[in-house]
């Protein structure tokens, strides 16, 4: 104590008693807790969506969605989006009258996609399933959409060629397939979309073929 019995002045930076020390611990704890909470919410949306190849969730741009829809003009039959993310491609296709299905490994994205489909009133035609693409057969689909990465395209090309019927159309976004020659291309840069008609790759005929004029941007 200083002369006269008053309290001693605290040195700069010295905790101001029990209360000051408590606030000094509480603030870092609160900040840390907030960061952990944010990570818990965000991590499922940015974590790899497909286990075999690191394929992070990157939402399709509005231009990419429109380019995919252009490649679906005059097409019919069931549609599948491989690695469907937040469901925007499946929902957009359902709004055009397709029976559309999305396969996605990330359960948070699947639940969110189901909510979006319900909100937009297309949940009857837009279905989403939690599954690894390498464990699913796509043989019943006539229209296939994929937002892939270069590392997965060769193996996926082989899988689709083995499973799909000759009248199938495969639409690749962001990256083309390594061996197939696209029948139709539209868009620029990251919005480029390539469409492959499997009947041309195999040189086979089918009972019912859809003829879509080439669309060049």
């Amino acid at each position: 104590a200083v002369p006269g019995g008053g309290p001693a002045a605290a040195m700069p930076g010295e905790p101001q008693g029990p209360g000051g020390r408590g606030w000094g611990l509480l603030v870092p704890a609160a900040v840390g807790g907030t960061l952990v909470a944010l990570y818990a919410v965000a991590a499922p949306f940015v974590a790899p969506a497909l286990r075999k190849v690191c394929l992070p969730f990157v939402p399709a741009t509005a231009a990419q969605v429109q380019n995919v829809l252009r490649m679906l003009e005059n097409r019919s039959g069931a549609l599948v989006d491989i690695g469907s993310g937040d469901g925007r491609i499946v929902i957009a296709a359902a709004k055009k009258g397709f029976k559309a299905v999305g396969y996605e490994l990330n359960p948070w994205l699947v639940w969110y996609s189901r909510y979006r489909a319900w909100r937009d009133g297309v949940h009857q035609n837009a279905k989403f399933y939690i599954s690894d693409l390498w464990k699913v057969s796509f043989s019943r689909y006539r229209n296939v959409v994929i937002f892939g990465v270069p590392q997965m395209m060769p193996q996926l090309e082989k899988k689709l060629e083995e499973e799909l019927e000759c009248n199938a159309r495969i639409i690749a976004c962001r990256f083309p397939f390594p061996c197939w020659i696209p029948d139709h291309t539209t868009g620029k840069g990251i919005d480029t979309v390539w469409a492959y008609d499997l009947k041309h790759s195999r040189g086979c005929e089918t009972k019912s073929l859809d003829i879509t004029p080439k669309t060049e941007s």
Side-chain angles (χ1 to χ4, degrees), residues 32-46:
T34 301
L35 292 176
V36 170
L38 288 174
Y39 177 79
V41 173
F45 289 88
V46 298

Side-chain angles (χ1 to χ4, degrees), residues 102-174:
Y103 286 98
E104 169 62 50
L105 192 60
N106 190 318
W108 291 82
L109 291 172
V110 170
W111 297 331
Y112 179 64
S113 299
R114 290 170 179 170
Y115 161 73
R116 290 188 64 184
W118 171 82
R119 182 193 64 187
D120 290 1
V122 293
H123 57 284
Q124 295 296 331
N125 290 333
K127 304 297 182 182
F128 299 93
Y129 301 101
I130 303 169
S131 185
D132 188 324
L133 78 86
W134 307 109
K135 299 177 181 179
V136 177
S137 171
F138 301 109
S139 58
R140 72 184 185 91
Y141 298 102
R142 293 187 61 204
N143 305 282
V144 178
V145 181
I146 174 66
F147 281 75
V149 293
Q151 297 91 331
M152 70 182 290
M153 300 305 270
Q155 188 173 355
L156 183 58
E157 183 180 75
K158 180 180 179 181
K159 174 179 172 64
L160 294 177
E161 191 163 17
E162 290 175 350
E163 294 179 354
L164 297 178
E165 297 293 334
C166 281
N167 57 4
R169 171 171 290 182
I170 303 100
I171 301 171
C173 307
R174 294 200 179 103

Side-chain angles (χ1 to χ4, degrees), residues 142 165-168 199 202 204-210:
R142 293 187 61 204
E165 297 293 334
C166 281
N167 57 4
K199 63 178 181 285
R202 289 178 176 167
C204 59
E205 297 294 334
T206 59
K207 295 180 180 179
S208 176
L209 300 179
D210 290 318

